[in-house]
Amino acid sequence: MTPTIVSLPQQDWVDELTGLPDVELVVWDMKDAPPRDDIQLVVPPYMSSPKRLARLSELPGLKAVQLATAGFEHALQYLPKGVSLANGRGIHDTSTAELAIGLAIAAQRAIPESVRAQADGEWLQIAGRPSLADRKALIVGYGSIGRAIVQRLQVLEVECTVVASRARAGDHLVDSVHGIDELSGLLPTAEVVLLILPLTDDTRHLVDEKFLAALPNDALVVNVARGGIIDTDALVRACASGRVRAALDVTDPEPLPPDHPLWTTSGVLITPHVGGATTAFTPRLIKLLRQEIPHFVQTGELTNTVATGR
């Protein structure tokens, strides 16, 4: 049987996957032209410029692309006709859920203020801050990361309501899943909103002035999805007024320019888009590739296909 040619961006990933049957692995970080033109499956580098994906057009035999990211909108414009695109579903669940919870706890319990006060040797009087426990949380986006977030929030005694693109029956975690069309009726009681949904034309600036105005006073908005989900200008105004607070791992624009007002807006906590980028990433990536590469060899398909080039 002629082996299936698969490119990986790093030699250490190749070393981890050596020995897969009927597969030949080659290293290609996509900075330069492909090392050979018979590559059928490409795994692009993680956290690199999306512009490297333009080189996919140089592969006449390309059939599929397996991303290491949960988000995939950045790859769509570079996808050659007929080539399937799969996202890294499951790889980032643990790390991203962990950061979402960490951001929420830090914001609720005034951790940033305490860190700044420590530098000045100041003993803050911050007793009575809102706990995460007993809060009403609204999770917007209920894929695998959304479920991981809910699972952890429930351990922390948080009341969870979840929203997806369409209403559907619940699962072992929630009684029901609300549709996005029900969002306006859910916002007035949402003390903590956690965003983990894809960025599309429909979801861009979903969190706008009207959305923020519907939240209760002192609500917290946590974004571990994509920066463009939020209208940044509207968020700056809402936080500066003291109406709401925000904890953001993603921003729009990104990276955030040094002079952007979001950096110094009251009630805003920012981390530099590191939700999935922890030591938990590589073991889960390798586990996924051990499953997906043989599956592709046998079927010509990837399990988590999200789009096909047109």
Side-chain angles (χ1 to χ4, degrees), residues 208-209 212 231-244 265:
D208 57 10
E209 197 157 357
L212 295 166
D231 179 338
T232 302
D233 292 341
L235 183 68
V236 168
R237 289 192 294 270
C239 291
S241 73
R243 267 271 301 128
V244 300
T265 299

Side-chain angles (χ1 to χ4, degrees), residues 3 10 19 31 50 56 75 89 103 122 138 147 185 241 247 265 270 283 288 292 296:
Q10 301 176 201
K31 288 181 180 178
L56 294 173
R89 179 182 175 89
L103 286 171
E122 179 186 358
L138 181 65
R147 280 189 287 274
S241 73
T265 299
I270 299 171
L288 178 73
E292 288 302 302
F296 177 77

Side-chain angles (χ1 to χ4, degrees), residues 78 81-82 91 94 99 114 120 129 171 205 211 250 267:
Y78 301 106
K81 184 177 181 180
I91 295 174
T94 297
L99 183 60
S114 297
D120 297 329
R129 290 278 302 196
D171 54 21
H205 288 188
F211 182 112
V250 290

Side-chain angles (χ1 to χ4, degrees), residues 198-266:
L199 177 61
T200 66
D201 290 341
D202 291 334
T203 64
R204 182 174 294 278
H205 288 188
L206 174 71
V207 180
D208 57 10
E209 197 157 357
K210 183 177 179 181
F211 182 112
L212 295 166
L215 294 173
N217 288 334
D218 201 40
L220 173 67
V221 177
V222 180
N223 191 4
V224 289
R226 287 291 186 265
I229 301 290
I230 297 179
D231 179 338
T232 302
D233 292 341
L235 183 68
V236 168
R237 289 192 294 270
C239 291
S241 73
R243 267 271 301 128
V244 300
R245 295 169 293 122
L248 313 170
D249 184 48
V250 290
T251 61
D252 182 22
E254 191 174 299
L256 201 61
D259 59 349
H260 197 283
L262 198 58
W263 286 117
T264 54
T265 299
S266 176

Side-chain angles (χ1 to χ4, degrees), residues 24-42:
E24 184 175 345
L25 302 174
V26 298
V27 178
W28 183 38
D29 64 8
M30 305 185 74
K31 288 181 180 178
D32 302 308
R36 50 196 295 175
D37 62 8
D38 57 349
I39 296 172
Q40 295 170 267
L41 172 61
V42 170

